[in-house]
Amino acid sequence: MGCSCASNQTEDANDLGQQNQGTIASRPAMEPVKAYEKPLPAPRTAEELIRPGSGKALAKMWDTRAKEANQSSKRNIFSKHYDPSAPKLGRGQEGYGKAPAGSKSAERAERAKEWVKEQIGLLIATIIKIGTKDPEGNHEVTFGKLFVIYQDISDTLVGTLRRARKYGCVRFEGVH
């Protein structure tokens, strides 16, 4: 498919140059822009796109990722490819209730764990600071006193106490 307007402009410019040779300096004619219609190549597989002996591992990695993404979208209830009959992880299976490794959700979960550990450390430091030692050498404080002091530190006292008990850092009676 040729570009007819480019060649027409060239002809018009040449006509103007011939008519007004005394007033307008003649410019060299512009080459017309040519475009050729070529049929699109047939789609090829990843293996066909690879030069022999190079990048096969890369192609295999992307194929694996594509298959994993397809499987994941079949298990995702919000996906248009959701398949209720697709196999799902059950309780007790590896990876159940956890974000996939390397995902942003897994990163957020890791940051949350670190934050909880910092909060537990702050709680224990506060208990040591305001508490009294019992005969066994452990620090103890009543919840009321801890609550009053801790309200200026954080608003997550109960949750932090429960998490600290789960990790075995503190002992107290109450609902488990």
Side-chain angles (χ1 to χ4, degrees):
M1 173 174 138
C3 183
S4 60
C5 72
S7 61
N8 285 345
Q9 288 175 352
T10 305
E11 292 172 13
D12 292 343
N14 287 338
D15 290 342
L16 284 174
Q18 291 171 358
Q19 291 173 358
N20 302 322
Q21 285 182 356
T23 58
I24 299 176
S26 61
R27 291 185 250 164
M30 295 175 53
E31 290 291 320
V33 176
K34 296 180 182 178
Y36 299 100
E37 287 187 22
K38 289 185 179 179
L40 293 174
R44 297 184 284 177
T45 64
E47 285 78 18
E48 291 174 336
L49 294 173
I50 300 172
R51 292 186 308 266
S54 68
K56 288 186 179 183
L58 187 62
K60 187 175 181 179
M61 177 196 71
W62 283 110
D63 286 343
T64 303
R65 283 190 180 182
K67 288 176 186 175
E68 289 172 358
N70 287 337
Q71 289 300 320
S72 176
S73 66
K74 287 181 182 179
R75 289 189 305 266
N76 183 356
I77 195 165
F78 300 108
S79 170
K80 67 180 181 180
H81 304 291
Y82 175 67
D83 182 10
S85 64
K88 298 176 183 134
L89 293 176
R91 287 186 179 218
Q93 288 183 319
E94 182 75 25
Y96 176 76
K98 294 187 179 186
S103 68
K104 289 190 177 191
S105 295
E107 287 178 30
R108 285 189 294 271
E110 198 58 40
R111 285 195 312 262
K113 285 180 186 178
E114 292 301 316
W115 181 83
V116 167
K117 288 178 184 178
E118 289 173 13
Q119 293 297 311
I120 291 173
L122 186 61
L123 173 68
I124 292 172
T126 305
I127 291 172
I128 290 171
K129 185 177 179 181
I130 66 170
T132 58
K133 279 193 173 184
D134 66 1
E136 298 173 2
N138 297 321
H139 295 272
E140 62 183 16
V141 66
T142 63
F143 179 77
K145 184 176 179 182
L146 182 61
F147 183 80
V148 169
I149 301 290
Y150 210 74
Q151 69 186 354
D152 293 332
I153 299 171
S154 176
D155 61 349
T156 60
L157 175 62
V158 174
T160 306
L161 276 169
R162 292 184 70 170
R163 187 60 51 161
R165 179 173 60 182
K166 180 180 178 180
Y167 291 149
C169 300
V170 297
R171 285 192 312 255
F172 61 91
E173 290 185 25
V175 179
H176 291 280

